Amino acid sequence: MLDIAICDDDPTQLALLATYTNEWVQNSNNPAFVHQFLHPDELLRSCEKRRYHIYLLDIVMPMIHGIEVGKTIREHDQQAVIIYATSEPSFALQSFATNPINYLLKPIDKGRLHATLSLAASKLDPSDEHVLTVKTHAGIQVIRPSEILFCEYSKHTVIYTLTDGRTVRSKVIQGTFSRYIERTLHDKRFIRPHVSYVLNMDYVESFTKTRFTLRSGHNVPIVIKQYCTVRDIYMNYLSSKGKT
């Protein structure tokens, strides 16, 4: 399932882009959710809690330039597809700093937008990201690692807290928590700062010797004896993403 974010400060243009995009969703073999944002700040706040596969951005917007929005997105997501839709042709060269897939001029041609979305979908298949299948009392839940803020081991179950605010609780697991989350920890985004917690480092706001604080407001404890090791792993991860 694709998540597509559209941001345009003009309500009429936003509605038109959403209509065209939803038409593409209905006529293609790419199921997707289309999310609309009237202000770039709203989009960036949402990006702190979740990721989108495709971004369709206006450029001339209040407070934050659309290209700056694209640069901010690129700081935490190199895989997402960015498409610009604007009435200003003069920013085309600057837009290359964010590696967009296309630069569409308004008034938007529906055919060109649909072709661009099809190209984007062909380059970005969310099934390429390995998924976790969690056995719950309601059935099997499929979770993408990028959706996970953290997971907690409690009473022989694992509780996943997700970027959209949902929690998913597994059935009673067989074996140890260490064995259960082994595959998750193979993903370099994840760290185990406490015997009962695994954390997605992409969503960390700050940390102390005793806890990580996430941008969502959640806190995840750190075992004091493991602080130096945890700190080094986290700082190395930031360094690998060019954030230190």
Side-chain angles (χ1 to χ4, degrees):
M1 180 73 68
L2 291 170
D3 281 305
I4 303 173
I6 304 175
C7 186
D8 196 308
D9 65 305
D10 183 328
T12 301
Q13 288 295 315
L14 179 62
L16 181 65
L17 289 169
T19 297
Y20 285 174
T21 302
N22 277 311
E23 287 178 4
W24 172 80
V25 171
Q26 294 171 6
N27 295 324
S28 70
N29 294 319
N30 297 286
F33 288 119
V34 178
H35 309 261
Q36 301 178 50
F37 300 91
L38 263 173
H39 197 287
D41 281 346
E42 296 176 7
L43 172 60
L44 292 177
R45 282 195 297 270
S46 181
C47 287
E48 291 179 352
K49 298 178 180 180
R50 67 179 303 164
R51 291 185 176 183
Y52 300 92
H53 297 101
I54 299 173
Y55 295 85
L56 183 54
L57 307 175
D58 187 19
I59 287 184
V60 181
M61 294 187 289
M63 302 298 291
I64 305 176
H65 197 277
I67 293 177
E68 292 304 315
V69 174
K71 289 179 179 178
T72 301
I73 291 168
R74 281 287 178 249
E75 287 179 1
H76 64 79
D77 194 340
Q78 294 295 319
Q79 304 304 315
V81 174
I82 293 175
I83 303 165
Y84 288 111
T86 181
S87 58
E88 295 292 336
S90 59
F91 294 110
L93 187 59
Q94 295 179 41
S95 74
F96 282 106
T98 63
N99 192 30
I101 196 173
N102 208 347
Y103 187 101
L104 303 175
L105 289 176
K106 297 177 180 178
I108 296 298
D109 180 88
K110 182 166 63 173
R112 286 196 66 196
L113 175 59
H114 285 185
T116 299
L117 289 169
S118 295
L119 178 61
S122 72
K123 291 180 175 294
L124 182 63
D125 182 355
S127 65
D128 285 345
E129 179 182 32
H130 78 268
V131 295
L132 304 176
T133 54
V134 181
K135 295 180 180 178
T136 75
H137 288 291
I140 298 292
Q141 292 283 322
V142 178
I143 303 174
R144 297 198 309 268
S146 58
E147 295 180 294
I148 301 170
L149 290 174
F150 65 94
C151 59
E152 176 187 2
Y153 181 61
S154 175
K155 298 180 180 179
H156 304 288
T157 66
V158 179
I159 305 167
Y160 294 85
T161 298
L162 307 182
T163 55
D164 61 5
R166 292 183 298 128
T167 58
V168 174
R169 182 189 287 268
S170 74
K171 288 184 175 181
V172 172
I173 66 173
Q174 303 298 316
T176 65
F177 180 53
S178 296
R179 182 66 180 271
Y180 183 86
I181 50 87
E182 187 175 24
R183 184 185 179 199
T184 301
L185 288 173
H186 286 160
D187 187 320
K188 66 181 181 179
R189 290 172 289 187
F190 290 89
I191 187 173
R192 189 181 183 185
H194 184 280
V195 66
S196 298
Y197 288 84
V198 168
L199 167 71
N200 188 335
M201 293 184 283
D202 278 346
Y203 300 110
V204 170
E205 175 71 26
S206 62
F207 70 100
T208 67
K209 288 186 176 181
T210 59
R211 69 185 183 191
F212 282 105
T213 299
L214 306 188
R215 292 192 291 267
S216 61
H218 294 92
N219 291 307
V220 174
I222 299 173
V223 175
I224 293 178
K225 291 182 179 180
Q226 298 296 320
Y227 168 72
C228 291
T229 299
V230 168
R231 176 201 61 198
D232 290 347
I233 292 172
Y234 178 61
M235 296 305 294
N236 287 337
Y237 180 69
L238 289 184
S239 179
S240 72
K241 295 172 68 68
K243 291 188 177 183
T244 58

